[in-house]
Amino acid sequence: MERDISRITDTVQENSSFVSRIRQEMSQVVVGQENMVDKLLTALIADGHILLEGLPGLAKTLSISTLARIVNTGFKRLQFTPDLLPADLIGTMIYDQKNGEFVPKKGPLFSNFILADEVNRAPAKVQSALLEAMQERQVTIGDTTYALEQPFLVMATQNPVDQEGTYQLPEAQVDRFMLKVKITYPSRDEEMAILRTMSSPDRPQIEPVASVEDILAARSVIPKIYMDPRVEEYLIDLVMATRSPKEYGLADFSEYIEYGASPRGTLALAKCARVTAFLHGRGYVTPEDIKSVGFDVLNHRIATTYEADAENVVCEDIVRAVFDSIEVP
């Protein structure tokens, strides 16, 4: 087994050399926010979508657009507004007078990287138009279904829902995001570095340093990364504790949880843990890999009750209690 893990580690290190190049290129523009950059890389390699939540001006859009330029592939930015229509995303059928028939006009979703900027400023019917594309990687226009290009990645940003002019995302769509990352303010030193970088007359120029082939090769390695059965048991216990808190010594939180993480959350947590091991150049998963992505994978998959709202208990409190209660192998 040790020999197999060593061979997998060699394969991981051979296929992960582009990661350091991306991080170095990103650091020229995005100061600090290492966690956000790592989670963007995780979503990209895991073939999952990511939702960044934070106040305006915290470099969410900048980070996503910069990553799209670093990876030499197609990119479309969609600014979500209250008057947006589903056809503005997926396309529609238009009448061709020359041929006397309706022909499809494909929308901007037919690209590789999609930046859904301020996704919660559009009503639910528009947000729901993303569901088929995000899950099945296809779009239906009229009677015809079209496969989307690979890689296909939706990177969305949203302001906190208590901001004016925002809508709550439907539960079905939120669950389609593999990761939901909350962005916070930078530190004082990082703020100073941002000021100096953005005030400099010589702004750094971003160059493509990774290709689609690099990403697809990395994705082919992820399933090979070893996860010990004890680590698998640890992962399952974490997810089950969000569904049946009393069975895991969390009786105090049972009245706060309406429902826990779905099997999709289990698969997402396992895949993100493997990608985290990949980003660290390892061919095996550790409990720390699961912990490092656990909050961002599970936070948005737990629904809280009215009692939780009354007691000011949020999902982060529940996930933190779950990780504290489950014994680490």
Side-chain angles (χ1 to χ4, degrees), residues 57-262:
L58 295 180
K60 302 185 299 295
T61 302
L62 175 64
S63 300
I64 294 173
S65 60
T66 300
L67 179 62
R69 284 184 289 164
I70 289 174
V71 180
N72 193 17
T73 187
F75 171 65
K76 292 289 179 64
R77 172 177 174 172
L78 306 177
Q79 187 66 48
F80 279 59
T81 56
D83 60 345
L84 202 66
L85 298 174
D88 296 328
L89 303 181
I90 63 176
T92 188
M93 302 292 292
I94 62 173
Y95 184 71
D96 186 346
Q97 291 185 342
K98 182 177 180 181
N99 298 322
E101 59 183 14
F102 285 92
V103 296
K105 177 178 174 57
K106 296 181 179 179
L109 278 186
F110 287 86
S111 188
N112 299 107
F113 284 7
I114 304 298
L115 168 55
D117 205 12
E118 296 188 317
V119 66
N120 59 333
R121 290 199 178 276
K125 65 177 181 179
V126 177
Q127 297 164 1
S128 298
L130 288 172
L131 290 177
E132 182 183 14
M134 293 175 68
Q135 184 64 26
E136 281 82 26
R137 301 316 200 264
Q138 64 185 28
V139 165
T140 301
I141 303 176
D143 297 328
T144 307
T145 299
Y146 303 89
L148 296 171
E149 300 179 36
Q150 291 298 322
F152 177 75
L153 177 64
V154 174
M155 298 177 286
T157 70
Q158 73 170 12
N159 296 327
V161 293
D162 56 352
Q163 296 288 307
E164 185 178 355
T166 59
Y167 300 82
Q168 186 77 39
L169 292 179
E171 289 83 355
Q173 184 178 354
V174 173
D175 198 52
R176 260 58 170 200
F177 286 103
M178 181 174 283
L179 297 159
K180 179 183 176 183
V181 184
K182 291 195 174 183
I183 312 302
T184 58
Y185 287 117
S187 66
R188 189 180 190 281
D189 291 340
E190 291 170 345
E191 194 89 14
M192 180 62 72
I194 292 171
L195 175 63
R196 291 173 177 171
T197 300
M198 295 305 172
S199 300
S200 172
D202 300 321
R203 297 283 292 275
Q205 298 298 315
I206 298 300
E207 299 292 337
V209 296
S211 64
V212 171
E213 290 72 22
D214 292 327
I215 306 303
L216 297 180
R219 289 179 178 179
S220 68
V221 175
I222 299 305
K224 303 175 184 177
I225 294 177
Y226 176 71
M227 185 180 294
D228 188 87
R230 292 173 298 175
V231 178
E232 291 178 335
E233 292 285 349
Y234 175 63
L235 187 151
I236 294 297
D237 284 341
L238 290 171
V239 176
M240 294 302 295
T242 68
R243 305 176 193 171
S244 306
K246 289 183 179 180
E247 298 179 12
Y248 291 86
L250 294 167
D252 293 343
F253 286 87
S254 60
E255 64 175 338
Y256 300 140
I257 300 175
E258 184 172 350
Y259 58 83
S262 64

